[in-house]
């Protein structure tokens, strides 16, 4: 049963990645209205008669999201029953499904009634929380084998501050990136890293949106680099922290590279989708580091209880 649950969790995590990439594809190709102002049907039809590329992309995204929702529901119930004794399981199971439903409702509302670009930018972030919850559920399932030190960790305060701050700030970066897509500002600045070779500062809204995202992304790269250096210097013995930050640094650098390539390739679709893929993976890894930091705080509290002090003296 445990092996079946592992495989199902991996499949569900991959399905959630497809939901995220599919949402980015819909936005990048301008296919949000591919099915008209109709939801869940397409142009009011169960089987569309007028097939267009935009319709295929939008309808495919809806179908994948629906399938992912079904998988997440099964995984939530299955995990609740199989590993419900693990403290974080029930919370993650609930969050993964609730946020996926919320993401679907926002998408439906955008189709039927329309939404501002600032509201639509939240859509990707909400999907990201649902993905991260499923990803963490999957890692909890794999933790059952006790093959890596993920439960008894105790982190210093500075490392925990890095984790709390970076994941919160990462969500801000994600929002600014989603806003760039929904504002259609991906190519507002023809140069990189500056907006234009002839002038150092942006002059209109779309350029400010683009450069604001670049500045936010640049800051998170520096912050993750600082945290990684600290992990290498002081946490090499804690493999899950050590490798977690190294992977995070690699992912954020790949994110930067694909962001630059979007400009150089004039919005190549595959590069743009890779950009969405890397930020999704980065947020998942940072979410796991957050889980470890919360566990560390709990472990510290347990070690500082009077009962533990008495036990230590008895030893």
């Amino acid at each position: 049963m445990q092996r079946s649950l592992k495989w199902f969790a991996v499949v569900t995590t991959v399905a959630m990645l497809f939901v995220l990439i599919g949402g980015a594809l819909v936005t990048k190709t301008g296919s949000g209205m591919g099915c008209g102002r109709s939801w869940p049907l397409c142009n009011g039809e169960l089987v569309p008669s007028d097939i267009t590329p935009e319709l295929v992309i939008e309808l495919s995204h809806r179908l994948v999201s629906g399938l992912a929702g079904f998988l997440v529901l099964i995984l939530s119930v299955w995990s609740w029953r199989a590993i419900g004794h693990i403290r974080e399981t029930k919370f993650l199971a609930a969050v993964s499904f609730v946020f996926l439903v919320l993401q679907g409702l926002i998408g439906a509302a955008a189709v039927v009634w329309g939404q501002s670009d600032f509201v639509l930018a939240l859509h990707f972030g909400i999907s990201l929380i649902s993905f991260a919850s499923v990803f963490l559920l999957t890692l909890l399932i794999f933790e059952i084998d006790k093959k890596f030190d993920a439960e008894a960790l105790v982190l210093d305060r500075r490392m925990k501050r890095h984790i709390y701050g970076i994941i919160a700030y990462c969500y801000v970066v994600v929002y600014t990136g989603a806003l760039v897509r929904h504002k259609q500002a991906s190519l507002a600045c023809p140069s990189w890293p500056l907006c234009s070779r002839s002038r150092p500062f942006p002059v209109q809204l779309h350029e400010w949106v683009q450069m604001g995202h670049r500045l936010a992304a640049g800051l998170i790269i520096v912050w993750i680099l600082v945290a990684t250096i600290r992990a290498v210097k002081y946490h090499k013995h804690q493999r899950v922290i050590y490798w977690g930050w190294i992977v995070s640094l690699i992912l954020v650098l790949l994110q930067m590279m694909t962001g630059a390539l979007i400009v150089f390739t004039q919005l190549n679709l595959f590069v743009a989708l890779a950009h969405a893929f890397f930020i999704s993976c980065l947020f998942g890894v940072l979410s796991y580091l957050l889980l470890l930091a919360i566990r560390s705080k709990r472990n510290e509290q347990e070690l500082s209880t009077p009962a533990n002090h008495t036990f230590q003296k008895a030893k």
Side-chain angles (χ1 to χ4, degrees):
M1 180 179 179
Q2 188 182 115
R3 187 175 181 182
S4 300
L5 180 56
K6 286 181 178 180
W7 276 108
F8 189 82
V10 170
V11 170
T12 306
T13 303
V14 172
M16 284 302 301
L17 262 180
F18 275 108
V19 171
L20 289 168
I21 302 301
L25 178 63
V26 168
T27 304
K28 291 292 185 183
T29 58
S31 302
M33 290 292 103
C35 287
R37 293 282 181 191
S38 179
W39 192 95
L41 300 178
C42 209
N43 293 322
E45 300 174 316
L46 182 60
V47 180
S49 54
D50 185 17
I51 306 297
T52 64
E54 292 78 15
L55 182 146
V56 172
I57 293 172
E58 170 66 11
L59 185 57
S60 298
H61 178 55
R62 293 187 189 183
L63 293 174
V64 171
S65 298
L67 174 62
F70 184 65
L71 295 176
V72 169
L73 178 59
I74 295 175
L75 179 64
S76 299
V77 175
W78 195 349
S79 301
W80 195 300
R81 297 183 63 181
I83 60 168
H85 59 282
I86 300 177
R87 190 189 298 257
E88 302 91 356
T89 301
K90 295 178 180 179
F91 173 76
L92 291 173
V95 168
S96 60
F97 185 72
V98 168
F99 272 78
L100 184 61
V101 172
L102 182 60
Q103 174 256 344
L105 292 175
I106 292 177
V111 169
V112 178
W113 299 297
Q115 296 287 348
S116 71
D117 293 327
F118 293 93
V119 173
L120 287 174
L122 291 172
H123 191 250
F124 184 77
I126 290 172
S127 301
L128 205 55
I129 292 176
S130 183
F131 162 74
S133 301
V134 172
F135 179 65
L136 292 182
L137 263 181
T138 301
L139 291 178
L140 287 183
I141 293 166
F142 277 84
E143 277 183 7
I144 295 174
D145 295 335
K146 310 289 185 183
K147 291 183 178 179
F148 48 96
D149 54 338
E151 288 188 1
L153 289 175
V154 176
L155 304 177
D156 60 78
R157 291 184 180 180
R158 187 172 295 181
M159 177 55 73
K160 285 189 289 187
R161 284 199 295 265
H162 279 311
I163 293 172
Y164 296 146
I166 287 175
I167 192 167
Y169 184 66
C170 182
Y171 203 76
V172 175
V173 176
V174 167
Y175 179 81
T176 62
L179 188 61
V180 166
R181 291 200 301 269
H182 287 286
K183 276 290 187 182
Q184 297 182 349
S186 298
L187 298 179
C189 293
S191 184
W192 190 93
L194 298 178
C195 188
S196 174
R197 295 178 181 178
S198 58
R199 48 186 169 80
F201 299 107
V203 295
Q204 48 102 350
L205 177 62
H206 285 76
E207 292 180 354
W208 279 109
V209 170
Q210 171 63 241
M211 291 306 295
H213 175 59
R214 291 187 191 181
L215 177 61
L219 289 176
I220 200 172
I221 291 171
V222 173
W223 198 348
I224 289 178
L225 176 61
V226 171
T228 303
I229 292 172
R230 181 165 187 83
V232 171
K233 289 179 67 175
Y234 301 109
H235 296 272
K236 204 166 186 178
H237 59 290
Q238 297 172 321
R239 291 186 302 159
V240 68
I241 297 296
Y242 176 79
W243 287 108
W245 281 116
I246 289 178
V247 170
S248 296
L249 181 61
I250 292 171
L251 288 171
V252 79
L253 291 175
L254 289 171
Q255 179 74 1
M256 178 193 70
M257 290 170 57
T258 51
L261 284 173
I262 286 175
V263 176
F264 296 143
T265 62
Q266 295 291 296
L267 201 55
N268 178 276
L269 184 58
F270 294 104
V271 174
L273 295 181
H275 195 60
F277 172 77
F278 290 132
I279 193 62
S280 302
C281 293
L282 175 62
F283 191 80
V285 175
L286 292 176
S287 298
Y288 188 56
L289 291 173
L290 175 63
L291 176 64
L292 297 177
I294 294 171
R295 282 179 176 174
S296 172
K297 185 176 181 180
R298 188 168 67 237
N299 292 335
E300 289 175 7
Q301 292 172 347
E302 291 175 355
L303 288 171
S304 63
T305 58
N308 275 299
H309 284 306
T310 304
F311 177 73
Q312 293 294 332
K313 288 180 181 179
K315 288 178 69 178

